[in-house]
Amino acid sequence: MLTVRTAFMLLGLACSQAAPAADVVYHGGTIITLDSADTVASAVAVRGERILAVGSRAEVAAAVNPDARAVDLQGATMLPGFIDAHGHFPSSGLLERHFVDLNSPPIGTVRDMTDLRAKLRERSEGTPAGEWIRGRGYDDTLLVEGRHPTRQDLDRVSTEHPILIGHISGHLSVANTLALKLAGISKQTFDPAGGRFRRDAAGEPNGVMEEGAAMNQVSRLLPAFSEADMVDAIETAGRRYAEVGVTTAQTGAAGPQAAAQTVAAFKAGRLPIRVQIWPVIQVAMLMLDDKVDVTVPPDQNRVTVGAVKGFADGSIQGYTGYLTQPYHVQPADRGPGYRGYPTIDRDQLTAMVKRVHAAGYQLAIHGNGDAAIDNVLFALAAAQEAQPRADARHIVIHAQMAREDQLDTMAKMGVIPSFFNLHTFYWGDRHRDIFMGPARAARMSPARSAVKRSMPFTLHADTPVVPMSPMKIVWAAVNRLTSSGKVIGPDQRISVLDALKGITRHAAWQGFEEQDKGTIEVGKLADLVVLDRNPLRVPPATLDTIQVLRTIVGGETAYSR
C-alpha cells in the first residue's frame, strides 16, 4: 500500500514529520461532504475513529503523517454514512431467521392465497404440533384475491399449530382459529379502544385484527425470543444494513430490553454499525416511574438512546390511518364516510406527550393521516405551552398526508417531518386509485413543500415494512415513480442533493447527533460510504442502481464489496 508521501509525490509536497498521525487517507475520488456549503473535496484523512482532515489532496497531505496508509478510491464517490431516520432495527434480522416471508412482488414472491398457504405449510411441516408459526409481509391489495387472509385460510394450513401472520404495514395481523381460541377471542369479545377485530356476517371474529390494541391480545402469547436470538438478529440486520451503506440504524418503538440486547451484541463484537434506541412511549412512562432502566454505557458511541416513540393512528393502506376526509374507496365493512380512527384519544395522547416532554425527552409521534397529524401537533403545542423548551426537535413520523397548513405549523414549532417516501413506489398506484384518490395521493410525503419552507426533514424506509435501501429512498424522492412506472405528484419531487441530506445531514440533526455524524467534516466520526458512481452526476432514473462499494464505521470497514 502506498504511503501518503508517495501518493502525493507528484505534487511536490513535503509532509511534516511533526503532523498528527492518520490511520488512512482516502483520495482519488469525489468526496461529497454535505456540509453547510455543499463542499466537494478530493481527499479525507481519518485518525482513529474520527476525521482528521478534509479538502484537496494538497491540504490533506499537509495535515498527516507521511507514514499514513493511502487508499485510492479509483474514481468512486464517498459520502457521509447513511442514517436510518426511522425504522425498527433489528426486526429485519428477526424476520429473516424466524418468520415466513409472505411479501408479494416487488419484494417477495407471494401472489395469491395458494402461495401464502404453501409457504406457511412448508414451515408447519417442520414444526412440532403446538408450536407457533409466524409470518409477515402479506399485502391484501397485491394478492390476486384482493382481500386479507382469514382464520379459515390459515386453518387450511394447520389446526395443530397456532398461526399469526402480519400485514406488510405492521398495523394488522391475522390469526387462525387455534390462536384466537388460545387468546380467548370469540364472538363475545369487545373491540378494544384504538383497535378492532374484523368479523364475518355472523359476528364471529374472522381472524383479522387492526392495530396493537387488538393484535397484542394474540401476540402477547408468542414465546419471547432469547437474548441469543436477539443478538443473532442484531448481527444479521447490522450486516444487511452495512451492505447498503447504513452506518447508524434506529430501533423505533423499542421495548425495555432493546438497549441491553444491543449493547450485548456490541460487546460481543457482533454489531457492525451504530444504533439509536427509541423507547416506545409506554416504556418511557415506566422509565419516568423508575420501573424500567433504558440506558447505555456512557463511554461508547455505538449505541445511544434517542427520542420516545408514540402512535396517533395506523396505516392508510390498512384503512386505519386517521383522515379529515373520507377514504377515496370506502371499505366494504365500514359505514359511509369512513375516515379511519385514532389509535389513542387526543386527550390521552396529550397527557402522555406533556409528561414525556416535561421530563426533557424528544418525542417522535407516528402520524399518517392528516387528522392524526392534527392530534400530534395539538399535543406537542400543549406540551410546549405547559413547559417551554427551546430546540426540542420533536418529530412527526411518516407525516404521509401532511397538509400545507400543518407544514407551516411544524416549521413554526421547529417540528421535523420524517417522510416514509417509499410509499410513492410501493403503494403509490393504490393510494391514487383506492385509498386517497388522485389529488391527495399526488401530495403524499410532501418533501418539496418542506424544501420550499427551508425546514429540515428526513426520509426513511420504516424497515422491515420495506427493505432497507438508502439509494432507493433517494431515487423515490427524486423521481416519485410508482411500481407501475407512473409519476405520482411531480410537484413534490426534490433534488438529489436535498434527498441525500434527508438520509445524512438532516437525519443526524434529527437525532441530536449533528456534532458527530451526517457530514464529512473535521472532528466528526469517520462514518463513511463509498459508492460506485456519483449520485449528483448520474441520470435520476438510475439512482437506485448505484452500488455500495464500502461502508466505514468509525474508521473501520464494516462492509466491502
Side-chain angles (χ1 to χ4, degrees), residues 186 236 283 334 356 392 487 532:
S186 67
T236 298
V283 169
R334 305 298 210 276
V356 174
V487 176
D532 67 344

Side-chain angles (χ1 to χ4, degrees), residues 168-206:
I168 187 171
S169 68
H171 290 267
L172 300 98
S173 60
V174 188
N176 70 346
T177 300
L178 178 56
L180 292 174
K181 182 179 179 180
L182 291 172
I185 297 169
S186 67
K187 187 175 182 178
Q188 286 71 44
T189 303
F190 291 104
D191 289 341
R196 182 171 180 259
F197 298 109
R198 294 191 182 180
R199 302 172 189 271
D200 60 23
E204 294 283 353
N206 71 0

Side-chain angles (χ1 to χ4, degrees), residues 11-337:
L11 295 177
L13 298 173
C15 299
S16 171
Q17 297 291 333
D23 291 323
V24 62
V25 173
Y26 297 95
H27 69 97
T30 302
I31 315 294
I32 301 174
T33 69
L34 294 176
D35 65 8
S36 59
D38 296 327
T39 303
V40 176
S42 56
V44 175
V46 173
R47 180 184 183 185
E49 68 170 1
R50 302 239 170 215
I51 296 170
L52 175 66
V54 184
S56 67
R57 293 174 66 173
E59 291 167 337
V60 170
V64 300
N65 188 288
D67 294 326
R69 183 168 59 93
V71 174
D72 188 344
L73 295 175
Q74 299 181 342
T77 297
M78 175 177 281
L79 286 88
F82 300 137
I83 297 173
D84 175 17
H86 178 63
H88 300 278
F89 184 91
S91 293
S92 60
L94 281 174
L95 296 178
E96 185 174 328
R97 288 176 169 271
H98 299 285
F99 288 69
V100 179
D101 183 358
L102 301 177
N103 282 284
S104 296
I107 299 174
T109 61
V110 173
R111 297 181 181 275
D112 54 26
M113 293 295 174
T114 299
D115 290 344
L116 183 144
R117 289 192 299 266
K119 280 183 166 284
L120 291 169
R121 189 174 295 112
E122 181 180 4
R123 177 65 58 90
S124 71
E125 289 171 352
T127 303
E131 291 190 11
W132 285 80
I133 305 297
R134 316 181 203 218
R136 195 186 185 285
Y138 85 87
D139 188 333
D140 55 302
T141 63
L142 289 179
L143 295 173
V144 169
E145 294 83 355
R147 64 172 177 84
H148 291 269
T150 64
R151 64 184 173 89
Q152 288 86 358
D153 290 307
L154 301 187
D155 288 347
R156 291 179 62 184
V157 174
S158 175
T159 58
E160 297 181 346
H161 302 85
I163 301 174
L164 183 65
I165 64 173
H167 189 259
I168 187 171
S169 68
H171 290 267
L172 300 98
S173 60
V174 188
N176 70 346
T177 300
L178 178 56
L180 292 174
K181 182 179 179 180
L182 291 172
I185 297 169
S186 67
K187 187 175 182 178
Q188 286 71 44
T189 303
F190 291 104
D191 289 341
R196 182 171 180 259
F197 298 109
R198 294 191 182 180
R199 302 172 189 271
D200 60 23
E204 294 283 353
N206 71 0
V208 181
M209 298 166 285
E210 298 179 358
E211 298 303 325
M215 296 190 298
N216 291 345
Q217 296 192 34
V218 176
S219 64
R220 64 182 172 80
L221 303 177
L222 291 166
F225 292 110
S226 67
E227 181 167 310
D229 287 335
M230 292 305 303
V231 171
D232 284 346
I234 288 167
E235 181 176 37
T236 298
R239 296 197 183 286
R240 297 287 182 265
Y241 279 48
E243 289 170 3
V244 292
V246 175
T247 53
T248 297
Q250 186 223 94
T251 302
Q257 301 302 317
Q261 291 165 343
T262 310
V263 170
F266 166 64
K267 289 182 176 179
R270 299 177 65 184
L271 178 64
I273 61 175
R274 303 185 200 277
V275 177
Q276 188 175 78
I277 307 292
W278 283 12
V280 70
I281 197 165
Q282 289 80 5
V283 169
M285 304 301 277
L286 296 174
M287 292 163 56
L288 296 178
D289 291 333
D290 294 323
K291 295 180 179 178
V292 169
D293 180 21
V294 182
T295 58
V296 296
D299 59 345
Q300 56 82 38
N301 50 31
R302 279 296 175 114
V303 186
T304 57
V305 177
V308 169
K309 172 71 181 296
F311 294 85
D313 72 343
S315 163
I316 287 175
Q317 53 266 36
Y319 278 115
T320 62
Y322 185 35
L323 305 168
T324 55
Q325 299 298 318
Y327 279 85
H328 181 60
V329 175
Q330 292 284 287
D333 60 344
R334 305 298 210 276

Side-chain angles (χ1 to χ4, degrees), residues 498-551:
D498 284 328
L500 288 171
K501 290 177 181 178
I503 57 172
T504 54
R505 180 177 169 182
H506 294 330
W509 190 84
Q510 173 186 279
F512 284 94
E513 296 185 315
E514 69 272 21
Q515 298 303 314
D516 285 324
K517 302 175 184 177
T519 63
I520 300 178
E521 295 183 86
V522 173
K524 292 195 174 184
L525 291 167
D527 292 357
L528 309 164
V529 60
V530 180
L531 306 179
D532 67 344
R533 282 163 287 160
N534 183 343
L536 301 179
R537 295 288 181 266
V538 301
T542 67
L543 284 163
D544 61 337
T545 67
I546 290 176
Q547 298 294 308
V548 172
L549 300 179
R550 181 180 296 193
T551 302

Side-chain angles (χ1 to χ4, degrees), residues 426-479:
Y426 287 104
W427 289 280
D429 291 313
R430 283 157 286 153
H431 276 248
R432 180 194 60 231
D433 300 336
I434 301 172
F435 304 116
M436 291 292 94
R440 283 184 293 179
R443 55 166 292 101
M444 62 194 292
S445 301
R448 180 61 183 167
S449 293
V451 170
K452 289 179 179 178
R453 288 165 172 79
S454 299
M455 60 190 296
F457 63 89
T458 61
L459 305 172
H460 64 260
D462 204 20
T463 304
V465 175
V466 300
M468 175 54 69
S469 178
M471 290 312 301
K472 189 78 171 181
I473 291 173
V474 172
W475 171 89
V478 172
N479 294 283

